[in-house]
Amino acid sequence: MPDHHHSNHHEHHHHGADQADEAAMAELLDLDAEVLQSYLSEVTAWIHELTADQPARRILDLGAGTGAGALALLQRFERAEVIALDISGSHLHHLEGKARDLGVAERIRTVQVDLDAAWPAVDTVELAWASNSLHHLADPDRVLANVFAALRPGGRLVAVELDSFPRFLPHELGLGRSGLEERCHAVMDERRAAELPHIGSDWGARLGKAGFTIQAEKTFVIELTPPLPAATGRYAQASLRRLRSGLDGRMSAEDLATLDALVDSDGPDSVLRRDDLTVRAARTAWVARRP
């Protein structure tokens, strides 16, 4: 799932990401799952319905992060088990703790793996889930071929990609220049396009090339307005902090100062104190079937 985040994630998957960064990312992914719970519930219900002809007993999660998708799928597919793959040992450890708390530890197996380097030995599965992880891969087409081989005939891969990173702020903030959030994202989009060449790919075409038949495609538009989930302020803060860390030297001093004021927990202008936040995002999902 949440993708900077997200989602299942992973600009943070550059090797040697420090522990503080991993911890901040884990927090962001957890907040993403908490605030976007209604979206996760909607997407898993849709998948459950589309795969009713072959109920999933084994689910493969590619780039599981801290487990938002894996845990939502376990809840929806009550007889299934999940094999969760991720490059980050600390994220998987965190996921295991959450699974224990929810009483589903025996239904989840974690495998630490760098999918750019190797494909793990996994049993065949009925369902694979890749949320905001494909665009992080160096060679997504090779990994899609591996997923195809791991699926039973008739099995599905559900690929979810971000159409846009979450937005939280009004256009007029009452401090600094208006339109700050859009300017921040415009700068980061440019940077991401250079660092993550597969972002915004035509995934439908790539899935077809890998041998899949597209069964369904759907865009989930997320528009949360007050009353918002309790964690929204912290989610906005964590997201904007992550954005802020990539903007040094790329924006005006005024804009950076405004952003610093917004993410400062103790300041009078902190997002934690604002009552005009919203959550706006969009994600597109493809259900692709192995014939």
Side-chain angles (χ1 to χ4, degrees), residues 13-68:
H13 280 175
H14 296 312
H15 299 284
D18 61 13
Q19 283 168 328
D21 186 57
E22 291 246 322
M25 192 67 206
E27 184 194 14
L28 181 55
L29 296 176
D30 283 352
L31 288 165
D32 184 82
E34 196 177 328
V35 174
L36 303 185
Q37 208 172 352
S38 57
Y39 150 75
L40 272 172
S41 176
E42 194 185 338
V43 77
T44 57
W46 179 67
I47 297 163
H48 192 264
E49 198 179 310
L50 288 175
T51 58
D53 60 319
Q54 192 187 59
R57 289 303 176 90
R58 269 200 300 268
I59 300 171
L60 186 63
D61 184 350
L62 288 91
T66 56

Side-chain angles (χ1 to χ4, degrees), residues 244-256:
R244 172 69 183 87
S245 67
L247 292 171
D248 272 322
R250 296 165 191 260
M251 294 188 78
S252 71
E254 184 193 7
D255 276 349
L256 293 175

Side-chain angles (χ1 to χ4, degrees), residues 93-271:
H93 182 69
H94 186 68
L95 189 168
E96 288 162 2
K98 289 204 295 192
R100 276 196 302 277
D101 292 345
L102 293 167
V104 294
E106 74 293 343
R107 294 172 58 203
I108 199 154
R109 177 161 76 87
T110 59
V111 181
Q112 186 178 356
V113 61
D114 177 354
L115 291 175
D116 284 330
W119 181 257
V122 288
D123 293 331
T124 54
V125 299
E126 292 80 28
L127 182 64
W129 161 264
S131 174
N132 304 315
S133 54
L134 292 176
H135 70 260
H136 288 279
L137 297 165
D139 185 357
D141 297 323
R142 181 181 58 76
V143 174
L144 289 174
N146 288 330
V147 177
F148 187 90
L151 283 168
R152 290 170 181 270
R156 270 69 159 206
L157 163 63
V158 181
V160 184
E161 284 286 324
L162 295 166
D163 296 339
S164 63
F165 283 87
R167 308 288 201 265
F168 304 95
L169 302 172
H171 187 69
E172 294 294 345
L173 287 167
L175 68 154
R177 281 170 55 221
S178 55
L180 171 71
E181 195 168 28
E182 285 313 311
R183 280 197 299 287
C184 292
H185 281 287
V187 171
M188 282 309 289
D189 285 347
E190 209 171 290
R191 187 175 165 183
R192 279 188 204 106
E195 291 176 5
L196 296 165
H198 303 299
I199 210 161
S201 264
D202 180 349
W203 293 105
R206 295 182 92 145
L207 289 162
K209 200 171 90 177
F212 288 98
T213 306
I214 304 293
Q215 179 184 354
E217 179 184 334
K218 183 172 182 176
T219 297
F220 292 83
V221 176
I222 297 157
E223 287 185 20
L224 305 182
T225 54
L228 296 164
T232 303
R234 286 183 296 129
Y235 178 45
Q237 182 187 43
S239 296
L240 291 166
R241 269 197 181 139
R242 183 139 196 104
L243 201 55
R244 172 69 183 87
S245 67
L247 292 171
D248 272 322
R250 296 165 191 260
M251 294 188 78
S252 71
E254 184 193 7
D255 276 349
L256 293 175
T258 305
L259 202 47
D260 285 336
L262 290 166
V263 299
D264 174 11
S265 297
D266 304 318
D269 297 309
S270 173
V271 286

